[in-house]
Structure formats: structure tokens, C-alpha cells
């Protein structure tokens, strides 16, 4: 996707994200733009890998030419042009990330924090660490995304993918309250927060039937968590 | 007296992934090792804490490690790949930053001594079978064709997890080969299934899981074996939605390595939780004479 041209201020800007990254020993300035991070990212372009996986999908054959998805031209075509996206990819995700991982790194380096903080990318990152693993300069790109998410929360920036932010919030609330995550409670909290009551309702029946769902919370970690959180609050509030 | 190691199951293994917990306990008991849970352990913060607060993300695993150290344990088995990575990351990050280490010490009440080795049960079992537990095998898995799926968090980032080869790990393959299975060479063994986006952006998970299932099937897998309950849940429970969206019916059973070890050790299949999967693995296991 084309990115609007942006103005860059002259001189070095010590932005908050650069400061936070420095504290976490992540140096984005080592990036020499090889793009391995973006090409390895499973969600950067959700259609890119179809050239690989389509060799297995039994799509219908072309009536005239008899060519199927296994044929070379088709395999080469998908993944190279975004307008060849198969219908099976959900509308909202056809483009995957709006900024690729390398563009996030560029944005942070150039002091264009807001561009990164307002991207879909930081919420779509699964934290799989493929980018960080393949980076020849040892930059933990997934961690950059996490740190940007922490900043977005701090600054009250409206998340581009609100469901992901809702998950984080409800997960933390659940964990802090029960001590151990009460999964069924978490699912219900999320439904209330996002109003997506029908999401995955097709899974509820089979999962209950198979006895996969624990109906009751486990309070064995309740006291440890309570003590932990009171010390945590003090440590957080303390100097440094 | 049986040998004992500390065991941190994590939240999921007490609810949606009960069969993983039960099969692991059964296997270790059979091999004469007791798994001891630290009393009062708490959630390690996966999948969200590291995207919400860095100190919290480091301190939660450290608190649990402290509980384990207080038990006098030298080693902890962590079957949940997400917990495994959070624990390893906490220790790694504290070594990188004195400041963080100090803050964590404030939060957990003392400086964590770093005396506990964090290991995944698949590593532990692979070693045990390489060192003699092999003679306890009662049933050969009969060349059943398995795709070993490692996912992200066991293998990456390698400098943190220190687990096998990060692009082509072999630990689970070696373990299952010793039990008589045939493990396959395939491309998606460390690809991401979408992890916790399952609850927030399930479309992503459906797409990524479908790619993994498609490659496993193309390579001739009769089942996928996982070492992570989130991978198992995504690959198993999403197959119905994948069938609808992509018009591809995989019907590929997704098993835990511990369930297969249990079968090979001759454990009662009823104790290994084969009833809990949405894609029924029993017809396949019957075909290989592993179930009656």
C-alpha cells in the first residue's frame, strides 16, 4: 500500500520510542534494509504465501485450458500482485499490515513515531519472532512492536484493531483478578467488550461437548497475585 | 523414591488443554519422575503482559521462578510454549538490563538467584528416551506418518529460547522416531498459527492455520503433533471454519507429543484424552492398532 509522503525534521530526534528501545537494548539504527523481516512475516501480506500453499489447494480447473492452481503461471501470479488475491481471504485482511515490519523500523528511526503508533501493524503482529530471528543485525523487531503497543496504551491512542487491544485489556484484568487466567470468563469478557456475541459461537457447542471448557475459575494463585501486585505498584511508582 | 522435577503447567493446561496436562503427568509417572507444581503459582503474563507493561512482563515469570527456586528445584518443565518463552525472556532480559533486574527484585521481594533451568518436556523426554527409557516402550507406533509442528515460541528467538535449530528443529522428530513413528520433512514446522489472535482477529488464525494444514497434508501427514496447547487449539478447532471459508476439508488429527509417548509406553488410552479433540484421532489410531 502506498504511504503518504511525510515531512522529516532535520537533525536527530530523541523520541520516546527510541528512548524506550534503548532501555530494552534494541538498536533500530543497525537496520540496513535487507527486508528479511518483512518477507518472513506471516501477517505482513496475508496473501503473499499463497504461491506456496496453493499448490495443495484443490481449486477448480479452467474449463478451456485445463490449467489448475498447480500450474506454474497461477502459482507465480498469486502472491506477486495484490489484485490477484483469492476470494477465500477475508476482505478486511486482504492487505494484511498497512506498514510492513521494515517500514515500522524506518518510521521509528526517522522519528515518525505517530505513523507507527497509528498503524494496523503493531496490533496485527503475532509476536512469532520470525523477523527478529532472521534479522542479520539482531534487531528484535517483534519487541519494537510490543514497545510501540505499550506506548500506544500510555498515550491513549485509538488502536487500529480495537479487538486486539480489547483482548489485551481483558486478559490483564482477568489475570490480575483471578491470579490464573480463567479462560471461559475471558471469552465472556471479550464478548461483552467487543459486542461480537456471535464470534466463534460455532465452536462453543463442540468444545463444551468435548469437555474442553473449564466452567469454574481456579483461585489457587489468588493470594500470590494479590501480594505480587501490591509490590508491583510500589516498584512501578518508585523513582527510575 | 521417584525422581522429582518442578512443573509449571500454566493456566491453559488446567482448563482447555487438560488432556495435555493429564497425558504429561501419566507419561512422567510411568517413567518414574514426579512432576511437582509450585504452590500458589500465578499466570506468567503470556499472551498480553509484554505488550502492556515491560516490568510486569518480566516480573510475573520471575515471581514464579522464585516460587520454584524456593521449592529447592534445579529444573522446571514448562509444557506451554508461551509460558516457556515468557520465562526464558524474563531471565534473558534481566541479564541484559541491571535496571530491569533491580525493578523485578523490588517487585518479587528479592533478587532472583537464577538457579533454575527452564526446559520444555519434549526436550526432557527426548533425552530420557535417548538415555535408556527406550526399553520401556511397549507399543511401536508402526510408521504412522507425523508432521512435527514446533510453532514459534519454542524456537524463537533462538538466542533466548536456546532450543534446537530454529529453522529446522528435530527434537520432537527424534523423540517420535524412537517410538517407531515416521516423521516428515515439511516446510511449515516453525510457521506461526496466529497464536492469541484467535480470540481477537480469528480470520488471521483461520488463514495461517489453513496454510500449515495444507502443507502438512501435501507432505503426506496423517496427523500433526504439537508441543503447545495454543497451536493445538488453533489447528484442531478451526478446521470446521477453514472448511467453510476455503472449501477444504482437512480432517487432520492434531495430537500432543505426550499422548503418543503415552500410547507407546502402553498407558491406558482413556487417560490420554483422545476424546477431547474436535477432529477425532481415534480412527487413525485404530488403523495403526494403537487403540482397540
Amino acid at each position: 500500500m502506498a504511504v503518504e509522503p511525510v515531512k522529516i525534521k532535520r537533525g536527530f530526534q530523541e523520541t520516546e520510542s527510541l528512548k524506550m528501545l534503548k532501555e530494552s537494548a534494541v538498536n533500530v539504527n543497525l537496520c540496513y534494509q535487507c527486508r528479511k523481516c518483512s518477507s518472513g512475516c506471516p501477517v505482513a501480506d496475508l496473501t503473499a504465501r499463497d504461491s506456496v500453499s496453493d499448490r495443495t489447494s484443490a481449486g477448480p480447473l479452467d474449463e478451456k485450458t485445463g490449467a489448475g492452481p498447480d500450474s506454474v503461471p497461477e502459482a507465480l501470479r498469486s502472491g506477486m500482485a495484490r489484485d490477484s488475491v483469492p476470494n477465500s481471504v477475508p476482505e478486511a485482511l486482504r492487505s494484511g499490515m498497512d506498514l510492513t515490519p521494515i517500514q515500522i523500523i524506518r518510521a521509528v528511526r526517522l522519528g515518525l513515531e505517530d505513523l507507527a503508533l497509528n498503524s494496523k501493524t503493531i496490533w496485527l503482529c503475532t509476536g512469532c519472532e520470525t523477523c527478529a530471528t532472521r534479522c542479520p543485525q539482531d534487531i528484535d523487531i517483534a519487541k519494537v512492536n510490543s514497545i510501540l503497543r505499550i506506548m500506544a496504551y500510555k498515550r491513549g491512542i485509538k488502536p487500529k484493531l480495537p479487538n486486539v487491544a480489547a483482548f489485551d485489556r481483558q486478559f490483564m484484568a482477568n489475570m490480575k483478578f483471578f491470579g490464573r487466567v480463567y479462560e471461559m470468563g475471558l471469552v465472556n469478557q471479550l464478548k461483552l467488550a467487543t459486542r461480537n456475541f456471535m464470534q466463534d459461537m460455532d465452536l462453543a457447542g463442540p468444545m463444551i461437548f468435548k469437555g474442553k471448557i473449564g466452567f469454574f475459575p481456579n483461585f489457587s494463585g489468588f493470594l500470590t497475585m494479590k501480594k505480587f501486585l501490591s509490590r508491583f505498584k510500589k516498584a512501578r511508582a518508585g523513582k527510575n | 523414591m521417584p525422581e522429582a522435577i518442578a512443573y509449571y503447567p500454566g493456566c491453559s493446561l488446567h482448563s482447555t488443554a487438560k488432556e495435555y496436562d493429564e497425558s504429561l503427568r501419566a507419561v512422567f509417572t510411568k517413567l518414574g519422575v514426579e512432576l511437582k507444581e509450585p504452590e500458589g503459582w500465578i499466570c506468567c503474563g503470556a499472551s498480553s503482559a509484554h505488550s502492556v507493561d515491560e516490568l510486569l512482563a518480566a516480573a510475573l515469570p520471575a515471581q514464579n521462578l522464585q516460587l520454584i527456586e524456593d521449592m529447592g528445584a534445579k529444573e522446571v518443565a514448562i509444557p506451554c510454549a508461551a509460558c516457556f518463552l515468557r520465562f526464558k525472556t524474563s531471565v534473558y532480559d534481566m541479564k541484559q538490563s541491571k535496571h530491569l533486574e533491580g525493578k523485578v527484585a523490588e517487585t518479587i521481594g528479592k533478587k532472583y538467584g537464577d538457579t533454575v533451568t527452564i526446559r520444555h518436556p519434549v526436550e526432557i523426554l527426548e533425552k530420557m528416551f535417548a538415555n535408556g527409557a527406550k526399553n520401556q516402550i511397549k507399543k511401536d507406533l508402526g510408521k504412522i506418518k507425523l508432521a512435527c509442528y514446533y510453532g514459534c515460541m519454542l524456537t524463537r528467538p533462538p538466542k533466548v529460547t536456546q532450543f534446537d535449530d530454529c529453522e529446522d528443529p528435530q527434537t520432537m522428530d527424534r523423540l517420535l522416531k524412537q517410538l517407531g513413528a515416521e516423521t516428515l520433512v515439511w516446510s511449515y514446522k516453525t510457521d506461526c498459527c496466529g497464536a492469541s489472535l484467535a480470540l481477537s482477529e480469528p480470520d488471521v488464525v483461520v488463514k495461517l492455520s489453513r496454510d500449515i494444514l495444507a502443507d502438512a497434508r501435501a507432505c503426506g501427514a496423517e496427523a500433526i503433533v504439537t508441543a503447545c496447547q495454543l497451536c493445538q487449539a488453533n489447528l484442531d478447532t478451526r478446521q470446521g471454519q477453514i472448511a467453510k471459508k476455503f472449501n477444504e476439508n482437512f480432517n487432520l488429527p492434531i495430537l500432543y507429543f505426550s499422548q503418543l509417548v503415552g500410547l507407546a509406553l502402553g498407558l491406558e488410552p482413556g487417560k490420554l484424552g483422545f476424546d477431547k479433540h474436535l477432529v477425532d484421532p481415534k480412527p487413525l489410531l485404530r488403523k495403526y492398532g494403537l487403540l482397540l
Side-chain angles (χ1 to χ4, degrees), chain B residues 27-75:
Chain B
V27 162
F28 275 98
T29 309
K30 180 79 185 171
L31 294 172
V33 177
E34 194 195 344
L35 295 178
K36 276 170 90 176
E37 264 182 66
E39 236 171 272
W41 61 263
I42 52 176
C43 174
C44 72
S47 341
S48 284
H50 62 287
S51 308
V52 177
D53 190 301
E54 278 190 292
L55 172 57
L56 196 57
L60 283 164
Q63 174 70 73
N64 288 308
L65 280 167
Q66 191 58 59
L67 291 176
I68 293 159
E69 200 172 67
D70 291 345
M71 284 164 71
K74 290 273 165 277
E75 182 180 356

Side-chain angles (χ1 to χ4, degrees), chain A residues 24 46 49-50 55-56 128 133-134 168 171 179-181 183 200 203 210-212 224 231 235-236, chain B residues 12 15-16 19 40-41 43 46 48 53-54 63 103 107 156 167 191 207 211 215 218 238 241 276-277:
Chain A
S24 302
L46 279 165
R49 301 191 310 171
D50 281 351
R55 70 163 189 253
T56 61
C128 79
T133 301
R134 294 186 184 163
D168 278 349
F171 182 98
R180 296 178 191 175
V181 169
E183 289 178 329
D200 290 335
L203 293 181
K210 296 272 180 175
K212 271 189 100 67
T224 323
R231 281 193 308 256
R236 250 272 156 268
Chain B
S12 297
S15 61
T16 42
E19 70 274 26
W41 61 263
C43 174
S48 284
D53 190 301
E54 278 190 292
Q63 174 70 73
K103 280 283 176 191
T107 310
R156 289 186 299 263
E167 297 285 3
D191 260 67
K207 164 76 173 113
D211 290 353
D215 192 61
R238 300 283 163 181
Q241 293 172 351
K276 301 242 175 191
H277 302 314

Side-chain angles (χ1 to χ4, degrees), chain B residues 3-14:
Chain B
E3 198 191 325
I5 50 176
Y7 175 63
Y8 178 88
C11 307
S12 297
L13 272 81
H14 276 322

Side-chain angles (χ1 to χ4, degrees), chain B residues 90-115:
Chain B
S90 166
V91 174
Y92 183 86
D93 284 351
M94 282 195 281
K95 276 187 196 143
Q96 298 290 308
S97 160
K98 282 271 162 253
H99 173 73
L100 183 70
E101 193 185 27
K103 280 283 176 191
V104 169
E106 236 178 277
T107 310
I108 68 172
K110 65 195 223 198
K111 189 173 172 290
Y112 169 57
D114 196 12
T115 58

